[in-house]
């Protein structure tokens, strides 16, 4: 097994030459050429802490699930690569932003009917633990299928939505 | 999906249908993908080339022969379906995990079509891509195309409409639990009616007492004093009767309430026992405990205390209203005027209270969960010195209970005195109107006295009726939580007329088995036949799906597609308890119950004799250590076997499995925590016992599996190698690598020692 190439923020501030390369292929696929020049087709880009630290700790995963590259923090890598990674994450990451909450049922699981920036949808939340409030009054809600929804700032919701949201906590 | 939209050809049969719900820019959308025996039809997907198609209504069709691959991938939050032709992607759809199940089954059907199987997948017995999968394949000459689009909806959450309506329905459903005690409940009702009526007599008697005795007497007329005696006696008897009747009524209704709650507890618990494992993996123990315990208790209080009060109050209010109208309609109207206002108030506050109580129940359950979580894990807590953090966590959940209760109390504290105010005002109104009517001569002083007596009772009852509102809402919230459990259906369910397999021979056929936990596929097409009496060793990296496969053989879960049959009968056709009687399982995490060693060994066969228990313990290599325990076989093992070592627990659970004399033995890492010497002892015992039993043994320590007839190597949910130890070593593949790594490690350890 190859060791993942590590980019240590302490050693290099902005690495000019990377030990690995990314190439965009057709249909939005990404290929990664690793430090040994080996090519991995169709790699996945994953955030390791999607909720608690979305901008740190990004991993490139080969199609067979093994880890190719570990990026401690996105801020230290080459801006071009970083843009590519972020575009990829944006296209894969489905994190609808809740604009308003139409209804939340009582009991468990709670049933939510919301309007997001991606359109209207309904989902179920198994437990109040699946609603994670951030210190900046934002929140992440994870539904029973593992889809996450974001409320950037509960204070920005309209009063009805906010009341429903607070009721659900 | 409207059938007409598809524009199917004559005789074309729909095999599977699913919906996708995202477009290329990840906005919610809704479109269909339909697989027929000839074509793949789909709403225009999110474009593969990045250009947008604006109309979702257009349907495209691809003839099946031209297609080479349908690739479904769900690794990150968004799933992706890619359709390729000559290894070029020609279409791409995106979906959320909510749609994954139907999409995966369409993929399965597609693969089966493509890989040259002529039988229609959904029709073959044993293959149930979907339990309630639609279409029985129709004869190919059927001129009408068959479509059933229901298949794609079964993984969508269903949403109920109105929660407050639901809470009333939940209360109404409690009545079904009272039905067995209907006679007593009716008796209680009659008693409470009689008691109420008796309570109404005294004020009625005061009316003639004042009008015909006291006032004439005061006016100087000669009234014999014995008439006072008569009225006093009447008053006394009425009071006594009212007391006796209400005593009998409380007792009968409490009797019913107690029984309803007890039935409810047992029903909830036994229903929970019938549910499948996936129900429990999604729930927290503390939450379930509080539902069975405190929620049923609240219902009991409601039924045995509040419901009685409530019904007798309603009756009293109605009867009083009747009596008042009979005495003086005008005064009655004035008196009862504020009543609708009270009713409206109750209505307004009711929903608020119910929500408050639902929250408080949830908060309470969270608190119980915190306990149920950390008390069994107390060793971990102490080992990492996290006591204070756990106390803080508990305090936080406790604070939530406090906060939830405070919120209800705020509403209630405001509302309760409001009702008292109403009754004071009501009294004032009656005095005013009464005085005026007495002056105008339309009402006697006696009638007014009776009215005042009635009205204070009346408002007293209204007040206590309103006090009932929170109790009702609390019970409604609790009833709802209980029916949430009762309404769950086991996902691993028995067919209506299950077969009783009796003693099986133990031929296990696993055919094309796929398995998913939610959207994640763990097993990707397992084919394996185990002959009766054969011992299979299952090896593979951690997380490769060994335990999952064993779970399927035990029928803890059903495969998502494909089938498992024993002696040629699909497991789904068999009665689950009858089948499991043939099974002996040693699970990866051995679980012992609170009780003695002997009780734990005899768990699967409570009628086993002491000699049988001892010989099972001997066979499992547990006999000697058991004898060394303070009370030998009668020693208590503590909750979850906490007072035993890991290896001792494992040996007890092996003994437990052996005692049932199973036809099929599943050993999941059964000897992972015992030393090499003990393992050799158990191993020889197992060797003896394995004879004549179909055995599936999972082990990381490969030496354990030397006796296996065949070794099956799993990797990432697929079988990659099958063969005997020698064959696999000779093949020099994955098994050989694993084996060499282990022997090398053992040699190094030996050299180091
Ligand atoms: N209840 C569950 N819900 C969701 N995923 C699960 C569940 N149980 C197991 N898994 C996942 O299924 C995969 C296979 O698990 P399984 O327990 O079959 O592995 P295993 O081969 O027995 O591994 P080990 O040798 O470590 O016991 C793992 O990736 C695991 O994360
Ligand atoms: Mg396992």
């Amino acid at each position: 097994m190859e060791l993942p190439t590590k980019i240590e923020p302490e050693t290099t501030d902005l690495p000019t030459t990377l030990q690995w390369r990314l190439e965009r292929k057709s249909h939005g696929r990404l290929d990664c050429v690793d430090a040994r020049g080996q090519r991995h087709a169709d790699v996945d880009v994953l955030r390791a802490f999607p909720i608690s630290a979305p901008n740190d700790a990004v991993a490139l995963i080969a199609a067979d699930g093994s880890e190719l590259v570990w990026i401690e923090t996105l801020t230290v890598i080459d801006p071009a690569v970083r843009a590519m990674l972020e575009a990829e994450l944006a296209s894969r990451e489905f994190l609808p932003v809740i604009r308003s909450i139409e209804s939340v049922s009582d009991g468990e699981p709670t049933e939510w009917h919301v309007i997001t920036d991606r359109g209207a949808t309904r989902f179920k939340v198994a437990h109040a633990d699946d609603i994670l409030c951030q210190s900046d009054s934002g929140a992440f809600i994870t539904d029973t299928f593992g889809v996450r929804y974001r409320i950037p700032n509960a204070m920005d919701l309209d009063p009805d939505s906010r009341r429903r949201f607070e009721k659900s906590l | 999906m409207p059938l007409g939209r598809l524009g199917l050809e004559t005789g074309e049969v729909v095999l599977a249908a699913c919906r996708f719900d995202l477009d290329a820019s990840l906005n919610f959308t809704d479109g269909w993908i339909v697989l027929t025996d000839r074509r793949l039809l789909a709403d225009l997907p999110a474009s593969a080339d990045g250009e947008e198609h604006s109309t979702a209504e257009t349907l495209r069709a691809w003839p099946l022969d031209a297609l080479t691959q349908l690739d479904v991938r769900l690794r990150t939050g968004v799933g992706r379906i890619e359709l390729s032709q000559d290894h070029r992607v020609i279409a791409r759809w995106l979906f959320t995990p909510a749609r994954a199940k139907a999409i995966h089954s369409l993929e399965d059907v597609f693969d089966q079509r493509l890989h040259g199987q002529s039988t229609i997948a959904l029709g073959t017995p044993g293959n149930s891509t979907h339990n309630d999968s639609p279409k029985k394949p129709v004869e190919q000459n059927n001129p009408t195309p068959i479509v059933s689009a229901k298949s794609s909806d079964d993984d969508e959450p269903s949403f109920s409409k109105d929660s407050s309506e639901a809470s009333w329905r939940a209360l109404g459903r409690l009545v079904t639990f009272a039905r067995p005690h209907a006679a007593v409940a009716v008796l209680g009702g009659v008693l409470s009616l009689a008691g109420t009526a008796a309570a109404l007599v005294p004020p009625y008697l005061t009316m003639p007492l004042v009008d015909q005795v006291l006032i004439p007497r005061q006016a100087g007329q000669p009234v014999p004093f014995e008439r006072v005696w008569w009225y006093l006696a009447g008053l006394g008897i009425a009071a006594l009767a009212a007391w006796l009747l209400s005593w009998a009524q409380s007792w009968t209704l409490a009797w019913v309430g107690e029984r309803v709650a007890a039935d409810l507890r047992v029903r909830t618990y036994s229903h929970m026992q019938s549910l499948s494992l996936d129900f429990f993996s999604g729930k927290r123990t503390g939450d379930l405990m509080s539902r069975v315990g405190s929620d049923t208790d609240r219902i009991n209080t409601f039924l045995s205390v509040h419901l009685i009060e409530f019904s007798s109050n309603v009756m009293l209010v109605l009867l009083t209203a009747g009596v008042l109208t009979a005495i003086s309609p005008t005064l009655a109207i004035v008196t009862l005027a504020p009543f609708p206002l009270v009713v409206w108030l109750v209505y307004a506050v009711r929903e608020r209270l119910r929500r408050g109580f639902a929250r408080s129940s949830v908060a309470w359950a969270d608190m119980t969960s915190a306990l149920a979580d950390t008390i069994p894990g107390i060793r971990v807590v102490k080992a990492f010195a996290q006591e204070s953090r756990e106390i803080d966590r508990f305090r936080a959940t406790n604070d939530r209970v406090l906060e939830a209760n405070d919120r209800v109390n705020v509403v209630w504290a405001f509302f309760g005195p409001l009702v008292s105010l109403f009754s004071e005002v009501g009294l004032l109104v009656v005095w005013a109107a009464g005085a005026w009517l007495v002056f105008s001569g339309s009402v006697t002083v006696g009638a007014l006295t009776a009215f005042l007596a009635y009205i204070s009772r009346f408002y007293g009852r209204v007040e206590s009726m309103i006090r009932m509102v929170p109790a009702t809402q609390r019970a409604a919230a609790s009833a709802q939580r209980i029916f949430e459990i009762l309404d769950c259906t086991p996902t691993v369910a028995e067919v209506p007329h299950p077969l009783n397999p009796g003693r099986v021979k133990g031929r296990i056929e696993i055919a094309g088995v796929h398995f998913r936990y939610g959207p994640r596929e763990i097993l990707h097409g397992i084919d394996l036949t185990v002959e009766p009496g054969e011992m299979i060793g299952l090896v593979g990296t951690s997380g490769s799906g060994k335990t999952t496969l064993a779970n399927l053989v035990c029928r803890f879960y059903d495969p998502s597609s494909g089938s498992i049959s024993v002696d040629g009968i699909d497991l789904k056709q068999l009665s689950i308890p009858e089948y499991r009687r043939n099974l002996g399982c040693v699970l990866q995490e051995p679980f012992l119950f609170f009780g003695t060693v002997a009780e734990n060994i005899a768990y699967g066969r409570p009628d086993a004799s002491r000699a049988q228990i001892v010989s099972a313990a001997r066979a499992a290599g547990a006999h000697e250590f058991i004898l060394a325990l303070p009370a030998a076989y009668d020693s208590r093992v503590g909750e979850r076997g906490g007072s035993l070592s890991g290896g001792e627990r494992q040996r007890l659970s092996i003994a437990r499995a052996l005692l049932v004399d199973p036809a099929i033995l599943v050993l999941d890492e059964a000897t992972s925590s015992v030393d090499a010497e003990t393992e050799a002892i158990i191993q020889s015992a197992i060797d003896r016992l394995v004879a004549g039993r179909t055995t599936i043994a999972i082990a990381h320590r490969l030496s354990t599996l030397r006796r296996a007839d065949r070794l099956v190597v799993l990797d990432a949910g697929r079988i990659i190698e099958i063969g005997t130890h020698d064959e696999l070593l000779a093949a020099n593949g994955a098994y050989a690598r694993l084996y060499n790594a282990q022997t090398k490690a053992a040699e190094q350890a030996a050299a180091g020692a």
Side-chain angles (χ1 to χ4, degrees):
Chain A
M1 199 194 136
E2 301 126 298
L3 286 173
T5 314
K6 274 204 178 167
I7 297 186
E8 303 289 350
E10 308 85 49
T11 52
T12 44
D13 243 359
L14 264 181
T16 42
T17 50
L18 289 164
Q19 297 97 318
W20 46 272
R21 271 182 301 127
L22 274 182
E23 286 173 19
R24 187 166 282 286
K25 294 287 173 187
S26 60
H27 306 300
R29 294 186 175 189
L30 280 183
D31 280 8
C32 175
V33 181
D34 70 15
R36 300 173 189 192
Q38 201 178 339
R39 173 176 292 273
H40 302 270
D42 200 11
V43 297
D44 248 342
V45 185
L46 289 179
R47 295 189 201 277
F49 300 94
I51 295 178
S52 53
N55 288 323
D56 293 337
V58 170
L60 299 188
I61 305 290
D64 65 1
S66 60
E67 183 188 32
L68 297 172
V69 179
W70 175 253
I71 303 161
E72 206 78 50
T73 163
L74 280 179
T75 50
V76 301
I77 63 169
D78 180 35
V81 179
R82 180 177 174 189
M84 215 158 156
L85 287 174
E86 279 178 345
E88 180 64 15
L89 284 169
S91 80
R92 292 224 179 155
E93 239 170 14
F94 186 58
L95 186 67
V97 175
I98 292 178
R99 299 252 188 263
S100 81
I101 301 172
E102 302 297 294
S103 71
V104 181
S105 75
D106 297 306
E108 271 182 21
T110 46
E111 302 163 354
W112 294 60
H113 181 190
V114 300
I115 296 184
T116 70
D117 59 338
R118 313 283 187 179
T121 189
R122 282 159 177 269
F123 56 84
K124 288 189 179 185
V125 177
H127 194 262
D129 289 349
D130 293 326
I131 303 171
L132 192 91
C133 289
Q134 255 36 35
S135 48
D136 55 358
S137 62
F140 283 97
I141 303 172
T142 310
D143 78 2
T144 43
F145 288 104
V147 177
R148 279 180 294 118
Y149 299 84
R150 194 160 71 91
I151 297 178
N153 188 342
M155 294 303 138
D156 294 343
L157 294 172
D158 60 279
D160 277 347
S161 300
R162 193 166 67 223
R163 192 173 46 77
R164 291 186 189 113
F165 173 67
E166 281 164 2
K167 213 183 73 188
S168 70
L169 293 178
Chain B
M1 162 177 232
L3 201 134
R5 259 192 71 204
L6 286 175
L8 295 185
E9 297 157 6
T10 316
E12 190 170 6
V13 178
V14 172
L15 299 179
C18 63
R19 281 156 81 179
F20 60 90
D21 57 357
L22 292 178
D23 66 13
S25 29
L26 296 182
N27 287 320
F28 285 111
T29 181
D30 189 15
W32 285 88
I33 303 176
V34 177
L35 178 69
T36 75
D37 56 340
R38 300 168 197 183
R39 298 181 294 170
L40 187 79
L41 301 139
D43 287 309
L44 271 188
S47 159
D49 318 292
E51 77 214 33
E52 306 277 331
H53 299 278
S54 48
T55 44
E57 270 302 302
T58 33
L59 200 67
R60 273 200 63 177
W62 294 270
L64 276 193
D65 350 322
L67 302 174
T68 42
Q69 204 198 350
L70 187 74
D71 176 46
V72 177
R73 184 152 123 176
L74 182 67
R75 230 188 272 156
T76 42
V78 179
R80 186 184 76 187
I81 313 167
E82 282 179 347
L83 183 67
S84 357
Q85 197 166 12
D86 307 328
H87 305 289
R88 263 194 49 243
V89 177
I90 53 170
R92 183 184 227 206
W93 297 267
L94 300 174
F95 61 93
T96 65
R99 307 285 182 182
K101 198 173 150 201
I103 287 170
H104 275 300
S105 10
L106 181 127
E107 181 198 16
D108 291 345
V109 179
F110 183 93
D111 286 348
Q112 272 152 355
R113 289 299 293 180
L114 216 62
H115 298 133
Q117 282 170 337
S118 52
T119 46
I120 296 166
L122 288 162
T124 46
N127 182 328
S128 45
T129 340
H130 270 279
N131 284 337
D132 50 347
S133 212
K135 52 265 138 175
K136 275 263 166 299
V138 275
E139 313 77 74
Q140 296 291 307
N141 57 8
N142 191 336
T144 14
I146 302 300
V147 175
S148 167
K150 204 195 142 281
S151 68
S152 60
D153 289 332
D154 56 4
D155 49 347
E156 265 175 72
S158 57
F159 293 92
S160 60
K161 285 139 264 137
D162 180 10
S163 56
S164 84
E165 193 193 314
S167 79
W168 284 113
R169 230 175 305 129
L171 273 187
R173 281 174 69 183
L174 285 177
V175 174
T176 56
F177 284 86
R179 202 168 287 152
H181 315 293
V184 186
V186 168
L187 177 69
V190 170
L191 285 173
S192 98
L193 190 67
T196 312
L200 285 177
V201 172
Y204 206 84
L205 288 179
T206 58
M207 198 161 48
L209 180 67
V210 172
D211 282 344
Q212 286 158 35
V213 181
L214 297 181
I215 291 187
R217 172 80 199 176
Q218 206 166 34
Q221 285 171 29
V223 185
F225 189 74
E226 66 202 54
R227 288 184 65 180
V228 175
W229 278 119
W230 278 113
Y231 285 117
L232 286 184
L235 285 173
I237 291 170
L240 201 68
W243 169 71
L244 276 175
L245 284 167
S246 79
W247 172 73
Q249 162 233 5
S250 306
W251 192 81
T252 24
L253 289 180
W255 188 90
V256 173
E258 207 60 66
R259 265 142 203 83
V260 169
D263 288 352
L264 206 57
R265 271 194 297 273
V266 171
R267 268 276 282 282
T268 314
Y269 180 70
S270 55
H271 187 77
M272 240 154 69
Q273 288 282 358
S274 78
L275 292 173
S276 318
L277 281 185
D278 57 350
F279 170 83
F280 294 95
S281 60
K283 289 275 188 293
R284 299 177 64 175
T285 318
D287 180 53
L288 295 178
M289 275 164 42
S290 92
R291 285 182 201 224
V292 176
S294 53
D295 281 326
T296 51
D297 195 52
R298 280 186 190 142
I299 289 173
N300 177 24
T301 320
F302 168 71
L303 289 178
S304 52
V305 180
H306 299 290
L307 196 61
I308 308 169
E309 247 180 273
F310 188 77
S311 53
S312 78
N313 285 344
V314 169
M315 271 185 269
L316 195 119
V317 164
L318 289 179
L319 284 175
T320 313
V323 172
L324 291 184
T325 320
I327 300 173
S328 162
T330 345
L331 203 48
I333 289 173
V334 174
T335 316
L336 299 179
F339 191 57
L341 197 66
V342 174
V343 172
W344 173 80
L345 255 178
V346 168
Y347 184 81
V349 84
R350 193 198 58 169
E351 191 46 29
R352 224 172 239 267
L353 283 173
R354 192 186 60 79
R355 247 189 240 126
F357 287 123
R359 290 173 67 101
S360 127
S361 271
V362 169
W364 185 265
D366 277 351
M367 193 180 76
T368 337
S369 296
L371 288 178
D373 225 24
T374 46
I375 292 177
I378 192 70
R379 282 167 203 237
V380 184
V381 175
K382 290 204 177 289
F384 289 91
Q386 294 299 315
E387 293 95 334
S388 59
R389 190 175 63 157
E390 290 304 340
I391 293 170
D392 288 346
R393 264 225 290 251
F394 182 77
R395 184 171 293 144
T397 58
N398 196 29
D399 285 349
R400 276 208 291 280
V401 173
L402 201 61
E403 188 202 355
N405 288 344
D406 276 351
R407 277 196 200 199
V408 182
N409 293 341
V410 164
V411 178
W412 178 234
F414 171 75
F415 185 69
L418 200 63
V419 178
S420 307
L421 182 68
F422 272 119
S423 64
E424 294 297 320
V425 171
L427 217 56
L428 196 69
V429 169
V430 174
W431 271 113
W436 184 72
L437 287 173
V438 169
F439 264 76
S440 68
S442 50
V443 167
T444 63
V445 176
L448 182 58
T449 327
F451 249 85
L452 288 169
Y454 275 124
I455 202 73
S456 58
R457 269 159 212 251
F458 179 79
Y459 274 104
R461 291 307 177 113
V462 169
E463 226 181 293
S464 83
M465 228 160 100
I466 285 165
R467 223 157 260 140
M468 228 78 69
V469 174
T472 314
Q473 298 307 330
R474 192 189 276 272
S478 290
Q480 233 177 329
R481 281 163 55 78
I482 285 173
F483 288 119
E484 267 168 28
I485 296 184
L486 287 177
D487 289 343
C488 283
T489 48
T491 45
V492 178
E494 283 191 343
V495 292
H497 301 288
L499 301 174
N500 181 350
R503 175 83 179 177
V504 301
K505 287 201 196 65
R507 182 188 158 86
I508 305 173
E509 277 163 281
I510 302 170
V513 162
H514 290 252
F515 182 75
R516 306 188 182 92
Y517 285 115
R520 211 174 131 211
E521 185 161 290
I522 305 295
L523 298 178
H524 319 276
I526 301 284
D527 291 287
L528 179 68
T529 304
V530 187
E531 296 301 330
E534 191 182 19
M535 177 176 179
I536 289 287
L538 213 51
V539 297
T541 49
S542 180
S544 55
K546 303 182 294 294
T547 301
T548 306
L549 188 60
N551 282 343
L552 293 181
V553 171
C554 297
R555 209 174 167 217
F556 290 144
Y557 298 92
D558 277 333
S560 320
S561 69
S563 74
I564 299 183
S565 46
V566 167
D567 291 359
I569 312 170
D570 193 317
L571 279 191
K572 286 182 188 165
Q573 304 297 323
L574 296 179
S575 149
I576 297 174
E578 290 301 328
Y579 168 63
R580 296 224 179 104
R581 260 181 249 292
N582 285 293
L583 278 178
C585 290
V586 179
L587 304 176
Q588 193 163 12
E589 301 95 21
F591 191 99
L592 302 179
F593 294 98
F594 184 84
T596 66
V597 170
E599 283 163 1
N600 268 291
I601 295 178
Y603 189 74
R605 239 178 93 184
D607 59 340
S609 70
R610 293 206 182 86
Q612 285 169 319
I613 292 175
V614 171
S615 74
R618 277 223 176 83
H623 183 64
E624 279 160 24
F625 92 75
I626 294 172
L627 289 183
L629 294 175
Y633 280 87
D634 288 328
S635 318
R636 301 211 160 265
V637 298
E639 209 173 19
R640 292 159 202 236
S643 64
L644 299 176
S645 80
E648 288 166 347
R649 275 201 291 270
Q650 278 193 337
R651 279 178 276 167
L652 280 197
S653 63
I654 293 173
R656 180 165 66 188
L658 294 178
L659 186 62
V660 297
D661 183 26
I664 299 172
L665 193 60
V666 175
L667 304 171
D668 192 352
E669 296 284 355
T671 53
S672 60
S673 325
V674 297
D675 61 288
E677 203 172 324
T678 317
E679 193 198 332
I681 301 172
I682 304 174
Q683 204 56 50
S684 62
I686 288 182
D687 288 351
R688 259 181 284 126
L689 284 150
V690 152
R693 295 172 216 278
T694 308
T695 307
I696 297 181
I698 300 173
H700 283 298
R701 218 193 280 167
L702 301 177
S703 56
T704 318
L705 301 175
R706 250 168 313 183
R707 271 273 325 213
D709 299 302
R710 277 189 300 164
L711 293 167
V712 174
V713 187
L714 269 185
D715 186 49
R718 289 196 173 76
I719 294 183
I720 50 169
E721 285 172 19
I722 299 185
T724 61
H725 174 76
D726 296 333
E727 283 166 13
L728 291 182
L729 273 192
N732 204 15
Y735 179 78
R737 272 199 303 281
L738 271 176
Y739 184 79
N740 291 335
Q742 278 194 11
T743 40
K744 199 176 291 167
E747 275 160 18
Q748 272 167 6

